[in-house]
C-alpha cells in the first residue's frame, strides 16, 4: 500500500535523537499508511544502526549525502518520497500518539497545501529545555510574533512541524539555501503562487531543543540576521513588530543606565517596568511548566532571546540598507552551497 504521508527527517551528527523520534512514530494510533525518509546530511556520526533497529516497526528508508544544509536535505528527501503529503519534523522532536490522527481530521475538515502546528515541551524535558521552549512559544515573548500570530494570512509554518503537499513542493521547488530562514522563505513563495497555508493548533510536536544558553544565543542571533534578508526578498512581508526584540534590548540598557545618571526616584520607573515584565515571564513559565526551576531559567532565556535576535536583526538591517553587497557576501554563514 502506497503511503499517504511521508516523514522527511534530515539529521546531522545526532543519531541518538532519532531513537525517541522513531519510537514516537511507531506508536502512532492512526491507521493511515506512512513512510519515513532519513536524510543524513554529511554526518560524521551516522544513524545507520538506529535506522536498522526500527526497520521492523517502520516503513523506513535511509539516504546519505554530502553536507548541503537542512533545507536541501529536505528537498532531497521529498524528491524521493512516495506520499501525497510530506511531513517535516526535526530529529529532536517527539510526536504524541495522536499526531497523525489529529492531522487526518484537520486535513479533512480544512484541506491545506502547506500547514504547520505548535511545538511544546514534554514534562520529561530538562528545566533548561522547558525554559527555552517557553520563551520560543509564549505570547509574553516572541511566540505571538513568530509565525504571524497563527493568523492564516500571515502564518509561516516552521520546518520542525510542517507539512506540504506534493503539488506545492513540485511547483515551488522546495526550500532555498538560506539557513535559518528557509521555512518562512518557502511559505512566502507558496503564498505568492496561490497555495493555501494555515495553522492546525491540534497538530502538536514536543520539540526538545537540545541547546544551552550559549548555543541558544547563536541560534536566535542567526534568526535575527535572516529576517531582514527575507524582508528584502519578499517586499510587503516586513512588519514593525520584527523590531521589538531590538527595541526591548535597547530600552533595557537605557533603563539600567538611568538610575546611574540621575538620582531622582523617577529614574527607577523604567527599570521597575522591566522587572515587572520579567516577573510576569517567570510566573507565566511556572504556570505552563509547573516547574520553578524552568520558571527561573525562563527569565535569562528571554533576555538571551531578545538580545540575540535583536542584535542580529539590527546588524542585518543596517548592513543591507547601507551596503551594496549581496546578502550571501555579507552573511556567508547563513548560506549553504547546494
Amino acid at each position: 500500500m502506497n503511503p499517504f504521508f511521508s516523514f522527511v527527517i534530515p539529521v546531522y551528527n545526532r543519531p541518538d535523537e532519532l531513537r525517541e523520534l522513531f519510537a514516537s512514530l511507531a506508536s502512532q494510533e492512526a491507521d493511515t499508511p506512512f513512510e519515513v525518509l532519513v536524510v543524513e546530511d554529511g554526518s560524521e556520526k551516522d544513524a545507520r544502526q538506529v535506522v536498522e533497529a526500527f526497520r521492523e516497526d517502520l516503513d523506513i528508508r535511509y539516504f546519505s549525502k554530502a553536507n548541503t544544509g537542512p533545507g536541501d536535505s529536505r528537498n532531497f528527501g521529498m524528491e524521493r518520497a512516495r506520499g501525497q503529503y510530506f511531513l517535516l519534523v526535526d530529529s529532536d522532536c517527539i510526536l504524541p500518539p495522536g499526531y497523525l490522527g489529529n492531522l487526518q481530521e484537520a486535513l479533512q475538515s480544512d484541506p491545506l497545501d502547506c500547514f504547520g502546528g505548535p511545538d511544546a515541551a514534554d514534562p520529561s524535558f530538562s528545566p533548561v529545555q522547558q525554559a527555552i521552549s517557553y520563551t520560543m512559544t509564549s505570547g509574553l515573548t516572541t511566540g505571538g510574533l513568530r509565525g504571524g500570530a497563527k493568523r492564516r494570512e500571515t502564518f509561516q509554518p516552521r520546518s520542525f512541524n510542517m507539512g506540504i503537499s506534493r503539488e506545492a513542493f513540485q511547483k515551488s521547488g522546495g526550500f532555498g539555501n538560506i539557513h535559518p530562514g528557509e521555512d518562512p522563505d518557502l511559505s512566502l513563495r507558496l503564498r505568492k503562487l496561490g497555495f493555501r497555508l494555515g495553522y492546525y493548533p491540534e497538530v502538536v510536536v514536543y520539540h526538545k531543543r537540545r541547546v544551552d544558553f550559549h548555543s541558544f544565543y547563536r541560534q536566535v542571533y542567526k534568526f535575527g540576521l535572516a529576517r531582514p534578508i527575507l524582508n528584502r526578498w519578499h517586499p510587503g512581508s516586513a512588519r514593525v513588530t520584527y523590531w521589538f526584540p531590538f527595541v526591548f534590548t535597547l530600552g533595557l540598557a537605557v533603563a539600567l543606565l538611568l538610575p546611574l545618571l540621575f538620582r531622582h526616584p523617577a529614574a527607577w520607573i523604567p527599570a521597575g517596568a522591566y522587572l515587572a515584565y520579567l516577573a510576569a515571564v517567570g510566573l507565566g513559565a511556572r504556570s505552563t511548566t509547573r516547574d520553578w526551576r524552568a520558571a527561573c531559567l525562563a527569565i535569562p532565556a528571554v533576555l538571551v532571546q531578545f538580545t540575540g535576535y535583536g542584535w542580529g536583526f539590527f546588524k542585518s538591517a543596517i548592513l543591507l540598507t547601507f551596503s551594496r553587497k549581496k546578502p550571501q557576501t555579507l552573511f556567508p554563514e547563513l548560506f549553504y552551497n547546494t
Side-chain angles (χ1 to χ4, degrees), residues 41 65-73 175-179 328-329 331-338:
D41 186 27
K65 51 177 278 299
N67 179 244
T68 56
D72 189 59
S73 295
F175 295 100
N177 68 334
I178 189 173
H179 177 73
Q328 292 86 341
T329 303
F331 309 109
E333 68 272 26
L334 298 182
F335 294 90
Y336 280 89
N337 294 321
T338 59

Side-chain angles (χ1 to χ4, degrees), residues 2-204:
N2 287 331
F4 185 74
F5 294 118
S6 295
F7 284 94
V8 177
I9 306 165
V11 61
Y12 180 71
N13 286 335
R14 291 183 174 185
D16 291 339
E17 287 183 346
L18 289 176
R19 295 183 187 277
E20 291 179 292
L21 174 56
F22 288 170
S24 70
L25 288 171
S27 299
Q28 289 300 301
E29 297 169 346
D31 56 3
T32 304
F34 67 89
E35 65 174 346
V36 179
L37 289 83
V38 176
V39 182
E40 195 87 67
D41 186 27
S43 300
E44 296 177 0
K45 301 177 182 178
D46 68 57
R48 293 176 189 272
Q49 290 185 347
V50 180
V51 170
E52 291 300 323
F54 281 86
R55 285 215 181 267
E56 294 184 2
D57 302 307
L58 296 169
D59 177 6
I60 190 167
R61 288 188 284 158
Y62 174 84
F63 302 92
S64 182
K65 51 177 278 299
N67 179 244
T68 56
D72 189 59
S73 295
R74 293 185 179 100
N75 291 344
F76 182 97
M78 288 187 283
E79 288 167 356
R80 291 156 177 78
R82 297 172 292 167
Q84 296 305 306
Y85 279 93
F86 308 142
L87 305 182
L88 312 176
V89 294
D90 283 352
S91 61
D92 59 356
C93 288
I94 302 171
L95 276 58
Y99 179 90
L100 277 181
N102 290 338
L103 177 55
Q104 282 181 284
E105 293 181 7
L107 282 171
Q108 289 172 358
S109 62
D110 183 19
L112 296 172
D113 302 298
C114 181
F115 49 84
D119 59 314
D122 186 82
S124 65
F125 291 4
S126 73
V128 171
Q129 290 167 341
Q130 292 188 58
I132 291 175
S133 177
Y134 178 80
T135 63
M136 292 293 285
T137 58
S138 171
L140 281 175
T141 59
T142 62
L145 306 179
R146 190 167 56 100
K150 316 302 184 287
R151 294 189 300 271
R152 172 157 297 182
E153 66 273 15
T154 57
F155 178 65
Q156 299 165 9
R158 295 300 192 263
S159 54
F160 57 76
N161 184 13
M162 180 179 185
I164 181 172
S165 69
R166 175 179 292 276
E167 180 186 10
F169 166 69
Q170 290 175 342
K171 291 189 176 179
S172 66
F175 295 100
N177 68 334
I178 189 173
H179 177 73
E182 70 274 19
D183 30 16
D185 172 56
L186 176 57
S187 298
L188 291 165
R189 288 190 284 113
L190 286 170
R191 187 165 280 113
K192 290 177 184 177
L193 291 170
F195 288 103
R196 298 182 71 239
L197 285 75
Y199 178 74
Y200 290 149
E202 64 275 24
V203 182
V204 183

Side-chain angles (χ1 to χ4, degrees), residues 134-151 154-158 184 227 231 237-248 277 302 305-306 309-310 313:
Y134 178 80
T135 63
M136 292 293 285
T137 58
S138 171
L140 281 175
T141 59
T142 62
L145 306 179
R146 190 167 56 100
K150 316 302 184 287
R151 294 189 300 271
T154 57
F155 178 65
Q156 299 165 9
R158 295 300 192 263
R227 180 53 72 172
N231 294 344
S237 66
R239 300 203 306 274
V240 67
T241 50
Y242 292 148
W243 282 96
F244 174 74
F246 173 73
V247 173
F248 176 95
Y277 167 75
V302 75
Q305 181 191 35
F306 283 162
Y309 186 97
F313 185 91

